[in-house]
Amino acid sequence: MTRLSRAALPGVPAASRTGIVHLGLGAFHRAHQAVYTEDAGPGEWGICGVTQRSATVVDQLRPQDGLFTVLERGRDSVRCRVVGSLREVLFAGAEPGLLSARLADEHVRVISLTVTEKGYRRAASGRLDLADPLVRQDLAGGTAPVTAVGRLVRGLQARCASSGAPVTVLCCDNLTGNGAALRDLVADFCAALPTAEGDPLATWIAGHVRFPGTMVDRIVPATTDADRAEVAARLGVSDEAVVVAEPFRQWVIEDDFAADRPAWETAGALLVTDVAPYEAMKLRLLNGTHSLLAYLGALAGHATIADAVADPEIARAAEGLQHRDAVPSLAVPSGVDAGAYCAEVLGRFANPALRHRTTQVAMDGSQKLPHRLLGTIRDRLAAGETPYWAARGVAAWMVYVAAGRDRFGRPLPLDDPLAGRLRAAAGDARNAAGVVRGLLAVPEVFGTDLPEHHALCALLEEHTEELLALVSGKRCENDVSH
Ligand code: CS2
C-alpha cells in the first residue's frame, strides 16, 4: 500500500518556514498543539518536531513528509484527519547541531515542550536535580546535551550568542505551575554553570525569554496496530505515525509572549492572564481522578479506564475524590461550573471507543501523584478535613507498586523512573503498615511533611490493608473503593 506523503495526499497545507521548535514529539503533541497550530492558520507556522528518546518517530514521520493522521474516536463517531503542521522532524540524539541551529534561529518564535513529568529531571524540591548524572554531563559541556533542560538551555545559549532574538518557552506538560517551574529549572542550570558563562546567559534569558504557563487537555491513548489498519482502510494509504484521540480538546495559555505566535485563539485556545485556576482544576479533577481510576481499576482487573468507571464502586470513589476532596480544594475559575466539569470528565473517561488502558495511565506514578493527588491532600489537611478519597487513590498506587498484581493474580507493570527504589521501599506486600511507611519515606513523592501526618498515615494504612486483601483474594469481588 502507498505510504502517506504529500505526493500521495496532495492538498495538505505546508508551512514555508519553521516558527516553532517542539521538544518531545510524542502522540500528545501531535494530537494537541500540532492540531491547534494548523487550525490557527494552515501553512502559516511550521513546527520542527524533536524526538529525544529514539529515532523511531523520525523513521515514522520523515518518509511521510511529517504528515500524520489523528484518528478521532468519539463514542459513536470516528474521524480521520491528516495534519501537516510538522515541517521538520529530527532526532536530538543524532542531530544535535541541527537542533541547536533551530533553537538559535531568529525565525523560531516559540519553543514548546511535552517531555512528560520525568523528563525534567527534578529533585524532591522540584528544582533541577543537580545530582543527576545526565544533568551533570550537560552542565560539564563538551558533548551534545542529552536532557530536555540541557538541550533547551544550550539552545538558548546559542541563540544569545547569535541572533539574540526574543523567544517564548511553552511548557505543555502536566506540572503544577508549569511555566514558572520550567523557568526555575532553566535558572538552576544557568546558576550551576561557571559564573562567567552562566550569569550573562541568565541575564539575557531574563530579558528575552518568557515562560507562560499552560493547561493542555486531550485524552490520547497509545496507538495500536488495529488503529493503523483502520486508518489505512479509510485513507487508502499506510500511515506509521497515526495518533488516536478523543474529540475533546482544550488549551489554556497565559498571554505572556516574548514575540509573535500562532493565533491559537482562533483555533479555540483560551488566552488568559493567569492559568493557575484552570491548571489546578484540570490536574486535580481530571488527572487526579484518572490516576485513581487507573490504580483501583487495574487492581480490580479492569483493562481500560472505561471499564473502571463503569464499575459502580470505583465510580463512587472517583466521584468522591472529585466532589468531596478536590473541588473544595480549588479556586474554580469564574464562570466555570465545577459540577458540570466533573461530570464531563467522567463522561470522557467512559468513552469505550478509546480503549485507554489503565496500565498506560498508571505509568510514572511517582512523578504524577504529587501534582494530581498530593496537592489535594495537603490542602484538605490544612483545612482540617479528611481527604478520604484522595487517600484511597494514593493507597491504590501503593498497592499497585507493592503487590504488582491484580485481584486475579495477573502481573501489573511498574513503569516508573523510580521503580527499583519504590519496590524496595514498599517491602513485603503482606504488611500494609510497612508498605505505607516505606513508600511515604520516598521524598521525591511525598516530601517530608506528609510522612509526619499521623492521621493521614492511619487512613492510608486502612485503605492499603483493604486493597491488599483484595489482590490477595481475601475480599469480595468488585469492592475496591470501600
Ligand atoms: C493521563 C493523561 O496518562 C495519563 O497520565 O492522565 O495523559 C491525560 O490523558 C491527559 O492529561 C488528558 O488531558
Side-chain angles (χ1 to χ4, degrees):
M1 178 176 276
T2 304
R3 182 80 176 266
L4 174 61
S5 69
R6 291 192 178 278
L9 201 69
V12 181
S16 57
R17 71 177 195 206
T18 297
I20 298 170
V21 172
H22 183 82
L23 297 180
L25 187 53
F28 184 81
H29 170 72
R30 282 179 267 157
H32 189 273
Q33 298 99 23
V35 171
Y36 273 99
T37 300
E38 180 159 278
D39 288 351
E44 289 180 18
W45 287 76
I47 298 170
C48 171
V50 182
T51 180
Q52 302 207 98
R53 282 182 289 183
S54 83
T56 303
V57 170
V58 176
D59 297 339
Q60 289 172 340
L61 282 162
R62 243 185 215 157
Q64 302 183 177
D65 304 317
L67 298 185
F68 61 89
T69 308
V70 176
L71 179 58
E72 195 175 277
R73 292 194 182 283
R75 275 174 175 275
D76 308 307
S77 65
V78 178
R79 181 173 168 238
C80 275
R81 172 188 174 169
V82 176
V83 178
S85 52
L86 268 186
R87 184 167 181 273
E88 299 177 78
V89 179
L90 65 89
F91 175 33
E95 299 159 302
L98 181 54
L99 172 58
S100 180
R102 288 289 173 273
L103 292 172
D105 182 344
E106 62 181 325
H107 295 109
V108 168
R109 301 295 207 286
V110 175
I111 301 169
S112 52
L113 298 90
T114 49
V115 295
T116 76
E117 298 90 339
K118 63 177 178 277
Y120 293 96
R121 296 181 179 274
R122 303 166 84 192
S125 62
R127 304 300 293 243
L128 189 63
D129 183 356
L130 299 177
D132 181 298
L134 296 182
V135 171
R136 300 181 64 77
Q137 177 182 311
D138 286 355
L139 283 166
T143 56
V146 295
T147 65
V149 173
R151 284 171 172 147
L152 173 61
V153 177
R154 293 302 185 183
L156 292 174
Q157 196 170 25
R159 191 179 189 93
C160 171
S162 52
S163 69
V167 69
T168 301
V169 173
L170 210 55
C171 178
C172 294
D173 279 298
N174 290 322
L175 303 180
T176 305
N178 59 11
L182 182 50
R183 183 197 61 218
D184 290 347
L185 294 171
V186 167
D188 293 344
F189 192 98
C190 292
L193 290 170
T195 305
E197 184 185 4
D199 286 8
L201 177 57
T203 302
W204 178 83
I205 288 171
H208 296 79
V209 185
R210 304 302 297 171
F211 296 84
T214 73
M215 185 276 270
V216 294
D217 190 359
R218 193 171 199 183
I219 295 174
V220 180
T223 304
T224 66
D225 290 341
D227 297 321
R228 281 182 278 271
E230 183 167 351
V231 166
R234 288 173 177 270
L235 295 185
V237 292
S238 68
D239 176 358
E240 294 304 312
V242 172
V243 293
V244 179
E246 64 173 335
F248 178 94
R249 68 188 199 205
Q250 186 178 21
W251 198 5
V252 182
I253 312 168
E254 269 173 352
D255 194 1
D256 175 19
F257 285 77
D260 55 334
R261 60 169 174 82
W264 283 312
E265 65 277 13
T266 64
L270 184 62
L271 275 293
V272 297
T273 51
D274 180 9
V275 75
Y278 297 90
E279 177 189 78
M281 199 169 89
K282 194 262 182 172
L283 281 172
R284 295 187 180 190
L285 296 181
L286 184 146
N287 292 113
T289 308
H290 226 180
S291 291
L292 174 139
L293 289 166
Y295 298 119
L296 286 177
L299 295 176
H302 296 307
T304 69
I305 293 292
D307 296 336
V309 82
D311 180 322
E313 291 305 313
I314 298 177
R316 192 162 70 90
E319 288 163 359
L321 168 60
Q322 288 183 325
H323 296 285
R324 302 289 299 274
D325 292 351
V327 168
S329 76
L330 291 168
V332 176
S334 62
V336 173
D337 177 339
Y341 181 87
C342 290
E344 182 184 50
V345 163
L346 293 181
R348 292 166 57 196
F349 288 158
N351 177 357
L354 289 175
R355 293 206 53 72
H356 199 184
R357 302 192 65 77
T358 47
T359 50
Q360 177 184 343
V361 179
M363 285 169 57
D364 295 345
S366 70
Q367 314 293 306
K368 294 176 178 178
L369 255 60
H371 306 281
R372 299 177 175 205
L373 292 171
L374 302 187
T376 296
I377 285 177
R378 285 190 172 93
D379 288 352
R380 299 307 287 152
L381 292 175
E385 300 294 339
T386 300
Y388 183 89
W389 298 107
R392 189 96 180 154
V394 172
W397 171 76
M398 289 181 161
V399 172
Y400 185 99
V401 170
R405 68 175 189 277
D406 68 16
R407 75 163 194 264
F408 301 112
R410 296 174 302 199
L412 294 172
L414 183 57
D415 188 340
D416 191 296
L418 303 184
R421 282 183 54 201
L422 295 174
R423 282 201 189 91
D428 181 346
R430 291 165 298 181
N431 173 359
V435 167
V436 171
R437 274 198 309 273
L439 289 172
L440 278 177
V442 180
E444 290 87 338
V445 183
F446 295 101
T448 53
D449 57 331
L450 294 182
E452 299 304 315
H453 200 288
H454 301 303
L456 175 64
C457 294
L459 180 57
L460 287 169
E461 284 182 25
E462 174 194 326
H463 286 315
T464 300
E465 191 84 50
E466 287 181 29
L467 293 171
L468 282 172
L470 168 81
V471 295
S472 61
K474 294 175 185 162
R475 292 271 311 288
C476 61
E477 294 226 344
N478 270 344
D479 189 359
V480 294
S481 69
H482 188 286

